[in-house]
Amino acid sequence: MQLVVARIGRAHGIKGEVTVEVRTDEPELRLGPGAVLATDPASVGPLTIETGRVHSGRLLLRFEGVRDRNGAEALRNTLLIAEVDPDEMPENPEEYYDHQLMDLDVVTKDGEEIGRITEISHLPSQDLFVVERSDGSEVYIPFVEEIVVEIDLEEQRAVIDPPPGLIDDRAEVASSRDDEAATEADA
Protein backbone atom coordinates (compact mmCIF):
# COMPACT_ATOMS: atom_id res chain seq x y z
CA MET A 1 0.00 0.00 0.00
CA GLN A 2 1.22 3.50 -0.79
CA LEU A 3 1.09 6.41 1.66
CA VAL A 4 1.95 10.06 1.03
CA VAL A 5 4.69 10.86 3.55
CA ALA A 6 5.78 14.35 2.47
CA ARG A 7 5.46 17.18 -0.02
CA ILE A 8 8.57 18.85 -1.41
CA GLY A 9 8.72 22.58 -0.80
CA ARG A 10 11.14 25.16 -2.11
CA ALA A 11 14.82 24.80 -2.78
CA HIS A 12 17.21 25.55 0.07
CA GLY A 13 20.62 26.89 -0.86
CA ILE A 14 22.49 26.11 -4.06
CA LYS A 15 23.52 22.47 -3.56
CA GLY A 16 20.21 20.71 -4.31
CA GLU A 17 18.54 20.59 -0.89
CA VAL A 18 14.78 21.05 -0.58
CA THR A 19 12.47 21.85 2.30
CA VAL A 20 9.91 19.17 3.05
CA GLU A 21 6.40 19.36 4.49
CA VAL A 22 6.27 16.15 6.51
CA ARG A 23 3.00 14.19 6.37
CA THR A 24 3.96 11.23 8.50
CA ASP A 25 4.34 10.76 12.24
CA GLU A 26 7.41 8.63 11.56
CA PRO A 27 9.75 10.78 9.42
CA GLU A 28 12.86 9.03 10.74
CA LEU A 29 11.48 5.73 9.41
CA ARG A 30 10.04 6.95 6.09
CA LEU A 31 12.40 9.79 5.15
CA GLY A 32 15.85 8.49 6.11
CA PRO A 33 18.92 8.34 3.86
CA GLY A 34 18.63 5.50 1.37
CA ALA A 35 14.82 5.52 1.28
CA VAL A 36 13.44 5.14 -2.23
CA LEU A 37 10.14 6.96 -2.69
CA ALA A 38 7.60 6.98 -5.48
CA THR A 39 6.35 10.42 -6.53
CA ASP A 40 3.26 12.23 -7.70
CA PRO A 41 3.66 13.17 -10.48
CA ALA A 42 5.18 9.78 -11.23
CA SER A 43 7.39 11.17 -14.02
CA VAL A 44 9.60 12.88 -11.41
CA GLY A 45 10.55 9.73 -9.52
CA PRO A 46 11.36 7.46 -8.02
CA LEU A 47 13.62 9.55 -5.76
CA THR A 48 16.28 8.18 -3.42
CA ILE A 49 17.09 10.25 -0.33
CA GLU A 50 20.81 10.93 -0.12
CA THR A 51 20.91 13.12 3.00
CA GLY A 52 18.52 14.65 5.47
CA ARG A 53 18.90 17.22 8.23
CA VAL A 54 16.84 19.60 10.32
CA HIS A 55 17.55 23.31 9.88
CA SER A 56 15.59 25.98 11.81
CA GLY A 57 12.85 23.46 12.57
CA ARG A 58 12.41 22.36 8.93
CA LEU A 59 13.43 19.04 7.42
CA LEU A 60 15.82 19.43 4.50
CA LEU A 61 16.44 16.57 2.08
CA ARG A 62 18.82 16.04 -0.81
CA PHE A 63 18.07 13.40 -3.42
CA GLU A 64 20.54 11.37 -5.46
CA GLY A 65 21.22 13.05 -8.78
CA VAL A 66 19.97 16.49 -7.69
CA ARG A 67 23.05 18.69 -7.28
CA ASP A 68 21.92 22.30 -7.79
CA ARG A 69 19.18 24.78 -7.00
CA ASN A 70 17.53 24.42 -10.43
CA GLY A 71 17.18 20.65 -9.99
CA ALA A 72 15.81 21.14 -6.48
CA GLU A 73 13.34 23.82 -7.60
CA ALA A 74 12.05 21.47 -10.35
CA LEU A 75 10.89 19.08 -7.59
CA ARG A 76 8.72 21.68 -5.85
CA ASN A 77 5.20 20.48 -4.88
CA THR A 78 6.04 16.84 -5.66
CA LEU A 79 4.41 14.37 -3.28
CA LEU A 80 6.67 11.67 -1.82
CA ILE A 81 5.03 8.26 -1.50
CA ALA A 82 6.29 5.33 0.59
CA GLU A 83 5.35 1.69 0.14
CA VAL A 84 3.92 0.42 3.45
CA ASP A 85 2.75 -3.02 4.51
CA PRO A 86 -1.05 -2.69 4.97
CA ASP A 87 -0.87 -4.71 8.20
CA GLU A 88 1.80 -2.43 9.69
CA MET A 89 0.69 -0.43 12.73
CA PRO A 90 2.23 2.78 14.11
CA GLU A 91 4.41 2.31 17.18
CA ASN A 92 2.10 4.43 19.33
CA PRO A 93 -1.23 2.62 19.94
CA GLU A 94 -3.02 6.00 19.96
CA GLU A 95 -1.98 6.72 16.35
CA TYR A 96 -3.51 5.45 13.11
CA TYR A 97 -2.69 5.51 9.45
CA ASP A 98 -5.28 7.17 7.21
CA HIS A 99 -6.07 3.89 5.44
CA GLN A 100 -7.05 2.32 8.79
CA LEU A 101 -9.61 5.07 9.43
CA MET A 102 -11.16 5.22 5.97
CA ASP A 103 -14.65 3.71 5.75
CA LEU A 104 -15.07 3.38 9.53
CA ASP A 105 -18.66 3.77 10.69
CA VAL A 106 -19.08 6.81 12.94
CA VAL A 107 -21.50 6.49 15.88
CA THR A 108 -22.16 8.55 18.99
CA LYS A 109 -21.61 7.20 22.50
CA ASP A 110 -25.39 6.67 22.61
CA GLY A 111 -25.26 4.46 19.51
CA GLU A 112 -26.72 7.00 17.03
CA GLU A 113 -25.32 6.29 13.56
CA ILE A 114 -23.76 9.38 12.00
CA GLY A 115 -22.21 8.05 8.79
CA ARG A 116 -18.99 6.72 7.31
CA ILE A 117 -15.52 8.31 7.09
CA THR A 118 -14.80 9.07 3.42
CA GLU A 119 -11.77 11.31 3.80
CA ILE A 120 -9.27 12.56 6.36
CA SER A 121 -8.33 16.20 5.94
CA HIS A 122 -4.96 17.16 7.44
CA LEU A 123 -5.07 20.78 8.53
CA PRO A 124 -2.30 22.69 10.33
CA SER A 125 -4.19 22.80 13.63
CA GLN A 126 -5.83 19.35 13.61
CA ASP A 127 -7.08 16.54 11.42
CA LEU A 128 -10.73 16.30 10.38
CA PHE A 129 -12.84 13.29 9.49
CA VAL A 130 -15.07 13.96 6.50
CA VAL A 131 -18.11 11.83 7.28
CA GLU A 132 -20.77 11.07 4.66
CA ARG A 133 -24.23 10.75 6.15
CA SER A 134 -26.92 8.39 4.85
CA ASP A 135 -28.68 11.30 3.09
CA GLY A 136 -25.49 12.11 1.14
CA SER A 137 -24.60 15.22 3.14
CA GLU A 138 -21.23 15.58 4.83
CA VAL A 139 -20.26 16.50 8.37
CA TYR A 140 -16.77 17.39 9.57
CA ILE A 141 -15.59 15.82 12.83
CA PRO A 142 -12.37 17.14 14.43
CA PHE A 143 -10.09 14.19 15.18
CA VAL A 144 -9.33 15.22 18.77
CA GLU A 145 -9.62 13.01 21.84
CA GLU A 146 -12.33 15.20 23.41
CA ILE A 147 -14.65 14.37 20.49
CA VAL A 148 -13.39 11.05 19.05
CA VAL A 149 -13.47 8.96 22.21
CA GLU A 150 -12.76 5.54 20.69
CA ILE A 151 -11.40 3.97 17.52
CA ASP A 152 -12.31 0.29 17.29
CA LEU A 153 -10.60 -1.21 14.25
CA GLU A 154 -11.99 -4.70 14.92
CA GLU A 155 -15.57 -3.39 14.91
CA GLN A 156 -14.70 -0.90 12.13
CA ARG A 157 -16.15 2.09 13.97
CA ALA A 158 -15.24 5.44 15.47
CA VAL A 159 -17.20 6.47 18.56
CA ILE A 160 -17.71 10.20 19.06
CA ASP A 161 -19.03 12.44 21.83
CA PRO A 162 -19.91 15.54 19.80
CA PRO A 163 -20.50 18.90 21.44
CA PRO A 164 -23.92 20.49 20.82
CA GLY A 165 -24.27 21.75 17.27
CA LEU A 166 -21.44 19.74 15.71
CA ILE A 167 -23.60 17.20 13.89
CA ASP A 168 -27.12 18.52 14.34
CA ASP A 169 -29.10 21.48 15.64
CA ARG A 170 -28.82 20.57 19.33
CA ALA A 171 -27.16 23.97 19.99
CA GLU A 172 -30.40 25.74 18.98
CA VAL A 173 -32.49 23.36 21.08
CA ALA A 174 -30.31 23.98 24.15
CA SER A 175 -30.46 27.72 23.53
CA SER A 176 -34.26 27.80 23.28
CA ARG A 177 -34.53 25.58 26.36
CA ASP A 178 -32.35 28.06 28.27
CA ASP A 179 -34.57 30.93 27.08
CA GLU A 180 -37.67 29.07 28.30
CA ALA A 181 -36.07 28.42 31.68
CA ALA A 182 -35.13 32.10 32.00
CA THR A 183 -38.68 33.17 31.10
CA GLU A 184 -40.15 30.80 33.69
CA ALA A 185 -37.69 32.08 36.32
CA ASP A 186 -38.73 35.69 35.59
CA ALA A 187 -42.43 34.84 36.04
Side-chain angles (χ1 to χ4, degrees):
M1 169 187 304
Q2 295 187 324
L3 295 176
V4 174
V5 293
R7 184 184 65 82
I8 298 175
R10 37 178 229 197
H12 179 83
I14 60 171
K15 295 184 179 181
E17 285 185 311
V18 294
T19 61
V20 176
E21 175 189 312
V22 177
R23 295 190 181 173
T24 176
D25 291 334
E26 302 169 320
E28 62 286 342
L29 176 66
R30 309 278 182 226
L31 300 171
V36 179
L37 303 167
T39 61
D40 182 8
S43 59
V44 175
L47 294 173
T48 302
I49 297 174
E50 186 173 282
T51 64
R53 66 186 179 104
V54 176
H55 175 72
S56 298
R58 301 248 4 174
L59 179 61
L60 302 178
L61 296 178
R62 183 177 335 191
F63 299 98
E64 290 181 4
V66 178
R67 295 283 173 245
D68 60 21
R69 185 175 185 86
N70 290 339
E73 196 59 45
L75 299 175
R76 190 174 194 160
N77 292 321
T78 298
L79 296 177
L80 299 175
I81 303 166
E83 189 65 38
V84 177
D85 180 348
D87 295 328
E88 181 180 328
M89 298 289 286
E91 288 181 22
N92 183 340
E94 297 295 315
E95 293 178 358
Y96 303 92
Y97 294 131
D98 286 4
H99 72 274
Q100 295 172 302
L101 302 171
M102 293 298 292
D103 293 324
L104 292 184
D105 292 321
V106 178
V107 299
T108 65
K109 286 188 339 181
D110 302 331
E112 177 188 352
E113 294 184 15
I114 304 303
R116 183 169 291 231
I117 298 172
T118 57
E119 183 180 338
I120 291 113
S121 181
H122 300 282
L123 304 176
S125 60
Q126 67 194 17
D127 295 336
L128 287 177
F129 290 159
V130 179
V131 178
E132 184 176 324
R133 302 187 81 157
S134 59
D135 65 3
S137 65
E138 290 182 336
V139 63
Y140 301 97
I141 310 286
F143 187 23
V144 294
E145 64 184 284
E146 295 83 12
I147 296 172
V148 180
V149 296
E150 180 185 356
I151 298 290
D152 187 339
L153 295 179
E154 286 185 24
E155 294 292 324
Q156 287 291 289
R157 67 181 185 156
V159 179
I160 64 170
D161 184 13
L166 181 65
I167 57 173
D168 55 25
D169 58 359
R170 288 187 293 169
E172 295 173 2
V173 172
S175 172
S176 54
R177 185 177 58 230
D178 293 342
D179 290 344
E180 288 173 16
T183 305
E184 289 174 12
D186 290 340

